[in-house]
Every structure is written in structure tokens, then in C-alpha cells.
Amino acid sequence: MAVNNRQGVRNDVVTSYQNAPTRTVSAGGVDFAYRELGPKTGIPVVFLTHLAAVLDNWDPRVVDGIAAKHRVLTFDNRGVGASTGSTPNTIQAMATDAVTFIRALGLDKVDLLGFSMGGMIAQVIAQDEPQLVRTLILAGTGPAGGEGIKNVTKLSHLDTIRGLLTLQDPKQFLFFTRTPNGRQAGKEFLARLKERTDNRDKAISLKSYGAQLKAIHRWGLERPSDLSVIRQPVLVANGESDRMVPTKNSADLARRLPDSELVIYPDAGHGGIFQFHGQFVEKALEFLER
């Protein structure tokens, strides 16, 4: 029996995101950077990430928690972090790139976990490639044309300035409430993001960040799409006080999706699934086992 005593690796299966090697796969003229962990069998859960995020922006408690039972794949979309190419400025093009990445790994069925912008991308994939998707988890996100989504650019700029003035990470303001619980949860989350010290990803470029902001703005101005065509089971999750993608968008998603379940975390904002990572992982695993 193969046993590897390195922390985070057991029987040649990577069990810790902190130790997951960064690999690349080439498809559609792009070298996609990705990490893989968890069991080698079963339907994988593909994580679709948020505005400005690279591989190191996933909460390791969420990744490791899901990977305890499922194969997990995280990746940098085109032009982001260690992936090559030019970042598109529409959610639809990002969805096409995500499908290109998924198919490059030879996968024909996946579960999608999309957070924020990633949840928008997940909705498009489910509509364009329904046969590819078994289930969806949509966190801190909203539908095309959703209320307040067009304000993400303004909020992001304001809170980036706020972060610079107070020497804090803007995510402390964007993802968490300003209550004592929210502030503490933000500090703990930001500390977890630094747990990986070796082979960290490259930060997003300003050009790619601008393209993503434009894509989200366009999504916010789009006409609502017919979400009743998404027949897969969907878990919708958010904090009760999301400033970035107002929480009422989560309720709207749950109402319009035919087979959905809604979870709202108290005294939590956009990063509710990170603040309540233990409860979220438990709920997500239960949902994925349906």
C-alpha cells in the first residue's frame, strides 16, 4: 500500500489544499493552471472563483472539507494568475473557457461550486451545457440583471481605497459585516488564505481585473434569463447582509430555479460560506450526496 507521510498527502491522494501541486493543462490555446485534491474517483466538484481571485483565494477549510469526500478541481480562468491568454470581458466567454478546461481533463460530468462571479459563470454553463452538469452550488451570487449587481465596480473601488487607507485587505469590507463577529471572521479567513507558503499563485493583473469588472457590470445590465431551464438540483447560499451581490438575489435565484434549496447565514455578508465554513461544508456534502 502506498503511504506518503508528507502532511496533506495520504496514499498518493492529496488531502490538503495547502499541499496541492499546481499543474497545467493546455486547451484552446490556453495553458490553464489548476490544482486537484481528494479522491481520484467519482464526479469531481469544479470550483469557479470570484472577482480578482487566483488559486490561493479559496478558503482551504472549504476546499479541504469538500475534498474529504469528493475530487476537487480549482483553476485559474484564461489570463488570470498562472493561466495564459487574455481575460475575456463577458461572463459567457468565461463560461466557454471553463468548459474548455473541464473537457481538457477528459471530464464529461461535473458538479459546479460557483462563488460570486463564479456563480454567474456556473449558471451559464448549466444553461449552455446541461449534460455536463450534475448539480450546482451557487454562493454569494445572482442572476443576470440581478438587483445591485451593476454596482459591484463602484463598491470594489470604494472598498479598495478604504482598505488602502486603513491598511486592511479590501475583502475585510467586501466579504464580511462590520459587526464584531464579521470583523473576527474576516481576520480568520484572511489568515487561512496565507496558510500555503510554497508555490503560491501570481496575483491577477490590473488589466484582467478590469476585464472581470466589465463582465460583471454587463451581467448586471443583462435582461433576466429563463432559469427554469436549469433542471439540476441547486444549493443557493449567502450571508444575510451581502453588500456586493445583495442577498435578495439569492432568494430570487432560489425562487426561479425549479429544484433549489436556499441557505442564508446570520450576521454574515458576501463571504458567508467562508465565515460559516463548517456548516457550509456539512450542508454542501449532504447536498452532493443526494
Side-chain angles (χ1 to χ4, degrees):
M1 185 171 71
V3 176
N4 193 323
N5 293 322
R6 253 187 322 125
Q7 191 181 10
V9 181
R10 190 170 60 245
N11 293 346
D12 291 332
V13 172
V14 180
T15 57
S16 165
Y17 196 52
Q18 188 175 341
N19 296 296
T22 304
R23 303 184 170 123
T24 57
V25 62
S26 301
V30 176
D31 297 333
F32 290 98
Y34 73 100
R35 292 180 189 153
E36 180 177 352
L37 66 162
K40 302 275 177 90
T41 57
I43 293 174
V45 184
V46 177
F47 282 43
L48 302 163
T49 201
H50 64 83
L51 169 70
V54 296
L55 291 169
D56 295 322
N57 287 106
W58 280 114
D59 188 333
R61 297 300 175 277
V62 171
V63 179
D64 293 357
I66 304 290
K69 304 275 186 180
H70 297 265
R71 182 182 176 192
V72 166
L73 293 159
T74 63
F75 74 103
D76 283 332
N77 214 329
R78 175 157 50 112
V80 177
S83 288
T84 64
S86 178
T87 302
N89 58 15
T90 68
I91 297 295
Q92 287 75 12
M94 292 179 195
T96 300
D97 287 338
V99 171
T100 299
F101 163 74
I102 290 165
R103 294 211 186 283
L105 293 179
L107 303 170
D108 55 16
K109 187 71 76 177
V110 295
D111 296 314
L112 296 177
L113 190 161
F115 172 63
S116 194
M117 182 182 78
M120 301 167 191
I121 295 167
Q123 291 172 59
V124 174
I125 295 172
Q127 290 173 80
D128 290 354
E129 304 275 352
Q131 74 292 343
L132 185 61
V133 182
R134 186 183 71 108
T135 65
L136 293 139
I137 299 175
L138 304 176
T141 194
E147 188 174 325
I149 294 176
K150 67 179 188 292
N151 299 326
V152 166
T153 301
K154 185 170 68 178
L155 265 176
S156 298
H157 288 335
L158 283 172
D159 281 351
T160 298
I161 293 165
R162 200 172 168 191
L164 288 169
L165 293 175
T166 59
L167 303 178
Q168 292 186 73
D169 190 304
K171 287 190 280 296
Q172 182 74 59
F173 306 110
L174 289 167
F175 281 21
F176 298 92
T177 59
R178 304 307 294 149
T179 65
N181 282 341
R183 288 170 196 251
Q184 184 59 32
K187 286 175 186 164
E188 290 171 4
F189 167 72
L190 292 168
R192 293 195 297 273
L193 295 189
K194 292 176 180 163
E195 287 175 356
R196 183 187 180 103
T197 52
D198 295 334
N199 302 311
R200 287 182 65 85
D201 202 359
K202 289 195 304 188
I204 192 169
S205 69
L206 278 175
K207 184 180 177 188
S208 291
Y209 177 59
Q212 289 185 347
L213 281 173
K214 192 171 283 186
I216 294 170
H217 189 74
R218 285 178 167 169
W219 181 261
L221 294 175
E222 271 185 42
R223 291 181 58 190
S225 59
D226 179 12
L227 296 180
S228 71
V229 300
I230 298 177
R231 313 301 299 183
Q232 294 92 334
V234 186
L235 175 63
V236 182
N238 207 346
E240 68 179 2
S241 305
D242 188 342
R243 290 172 62 239
M244 284 198 83
V245 183
T247 307
K248 59 181 62 175
N249 286 292
S250 295
D252 186 29
L253 272 177
R255 190 171 56 247
R256 290 164 57 191
L257 291 159
D259 184 4
S260 69
E261 187 177 352
L262 178 64
V263 179
I264 301 293
Y265 298 105
D267 188 16
H270 190 61
I273 66 166
F274 307 134
Q275 182 168 337
F276 286 87
H277 55 84
Q279 286 164 250
F280 171 69
V281 165
E282 190 179 335
K283 184 71 195 174
L285 289 175
E286 176 195 305
F287 170 77
L288 292 166
E289 295 301 326
R290 277 175 56 170

